[in-house]
């Protein structure tokens, strides 16, 4: 069973991030030795498929949201931001797909199939720029929330909180991944596994925003 990741905290310092990550990295490395490579390979792809579905569902809710607010006179900015969020979500998902493809190849080692599943072939990209893409998405979510708050009738605390929590999580995990990526002391396979765990965790935040947005459109 996967170890639980250190949760994002407000006002956390860089030394605190480094300490919590060091503890968690040791747990990842121990889990890899115990559970073997085939499980890591197959579970990573399953998690990617699961997140892909949640992202698709969120994009659908954004479409419904854009239809719902078009009658509002000042809706053009929100509609534009919604489209940008969809594009940013696809960018982040593509980076997770790239990482999942790397895991599929690197963790096969004769115990699993080395041939990439079709979805990973489509999503794969040799350069991983995940922290930067996550930061851009967090900025777009902030702009989206600001646009919502400009609507005089907007008072949906559930949607507001879901957006704020997702934004804060993106910034925290982007910092963690960047520290992993730039460290010369962390093995590439460990960084890949960490990113895979971040991908799995992100599904909860995407689902939360999706559900809150759906309720908002229905009211």
């Amino acid at each position: 069973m996967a170890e639980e990741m250190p949760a994002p905290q407000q006002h956390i310092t860089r030394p605190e991030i480094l300490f919590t990550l060091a503890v968690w990295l040791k747990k990842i490395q121990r889990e890899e030795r115990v559970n073997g490579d085939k499980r890591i390979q197959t579970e990573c792809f399953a998690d990617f498929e699961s997140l892909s579905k949640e992202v698709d569902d969120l994009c659908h809710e954004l479409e419904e949201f854009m239809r719902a607010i078009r009658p509002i006179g000042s809706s053009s900015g929100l509609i534009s931001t919604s489209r940008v969020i969809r594009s940013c979500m696809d960018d982040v998902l593509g980076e997770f797909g790239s990482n999942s493809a790397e895991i599929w190849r690197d963790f096969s080692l004769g115990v699993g199939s080395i041939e990439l599943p079709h979805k990973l072939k489509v999503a794969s990209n040799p350069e991983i720029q995940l922290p930067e893409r996550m930061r851009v998405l967090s900025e777009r979510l902030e702009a989206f929330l600001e646009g919502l708050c400009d609507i005089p009738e907007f008072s949906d605390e559930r949607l507001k909180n879901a957006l704020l929590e997702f934004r804060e999580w993106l910034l925290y995990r982007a910092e963690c991944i960047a520290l992993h990526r730039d460290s010369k002391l962390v093995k590439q396979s460990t960084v890949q596994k960490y990113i895979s765990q971040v991908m799995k965790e992100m599904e909860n935040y995407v689902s939360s925003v999706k559900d809150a947005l759906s309720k908002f459109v229905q009211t």
Side-chain angles (χ1 to χ4, degrees):
M1 187 172 182
E3 297 285 352
E4 185 176 350
M5 298 178 72
Q9 305 172 30
Q10 291 185 343
H11 310 301
I12 191 169
T13 65
R14 177 170 283 236
E16 289 172 325
I17 291 176
L18 288 170
F19 175 76
T20 55
L21 289 181
V23 173
W24 193 79
L25 283 170
K26 289 180 181 178
K27 292 179 180 179
I28 287 182
Q29 292 163 345
R30 183 169 64 248
E31 185 187 57
E32 287 179 4
R33 289 194 295 271
V34 170
N35 292 298
D37 294 330
K38 187 174 181 179
R39 185 193 62 80
I40 294 172
Q41 181 194 51
T42 54
E43 282 191 1
C44 182
F45 176 58
D47 291 340
F48 176 72
E49 282 194 306
S50 184
L51 177 60
S52 297
K53 183 182 183 303
E54 286 296 331
V55 169
D56 286 344
D57 290 345
L58 175 57
C59 288
H60 172 73
E61 292 300 335
L62 283 169
E63 286 283 355
E64 294 298 315
F65 170 79
M66 287 187 280
R67 290 193 191 97
I69 66 167
R70 276 196 179 95
I72 301 175
S74 59
S75 64
S76 59
L78 267 173
I79 291 173
S80 176
T81 303
S82 298
R83 292 193 179 112
V84 174
I85 287 175
R86 290 176 56 192
S87 177
C88 290
M89 289 293 298
D90 286 340
D91 289 342
V92 170
L93 188 63
E95 296 297 340
F96 281 128
S98 175
N99 184 70
S100 298
E102 293 289 339
I103 288 177
W104 187 275
R105 286 192 292 257
D106 295 349
F107 284 83
S108 58
L109 297 177
V111 299
S113 172
I114 196 169
E115 183 179 356
L116 290 175
H118 176 67
K119 285 187 178 180
L120 295 187
K121 288 179 181 177
V122 172
S124 295
N125 187 308
E127 281 202 56
I128 294 182
Q129 300 173 340
L130 186 55
E132 291 75 14
R133 295 195 187 280
M134 291 174 75
R135 291 186 189 106
V136 171
L137 176 57
S138 74
E139 291 170 1
R140 295 303 90 207
L141 290 173
E142 183 178 21
F144 183 76
L145 181 56
E146 288 174 355
L148 282 174
C149 292
D150 287 339
I151 301 175
E153 299 84 4
F154 178 74
S155 59
D156 192 323
E157 289 298 317
R158 179 182 179 183
L159 178 55
K160 179 180 178 181
N161 290 336
L163 289 166
L164 284 172
E165 288 172 3
F166 190 19
R167 176 184 175 276
E168 290 301 316
W169 177 86
L170 285 165
L171 290 174
Y172 176 77
R173 291 302 180 212
E175 178 73 7
C176 292
I177 293 170
L179 288 171
H180 278 65
R181 181 194 62 191
D182 299 337
S183 174
K184 296 180 180 180
L185 302 177
V186 180
K187 294 190 302 182
Q188 183 181 3
S189 61
T190 303
V191 176
Q192 291 171 343
K193 186 65 166 53
Y194 181 80
I195 291 174
S196 180
Q197 290 293 323
V198 171
M199 174 180 69
K200 186 173 183 177
E201 190 179 69
M202 180 171 161
E203 183 179 342
N204 296 327
Y205 290 88
V206 173
S207 179
S208 179
V209 172
K210 175 199 69 178
D211 292 344
L213 196 59
S214 177
K215 292 290 185 183
F216 176 73
V217 170
Q218 292 171 15
T219 55

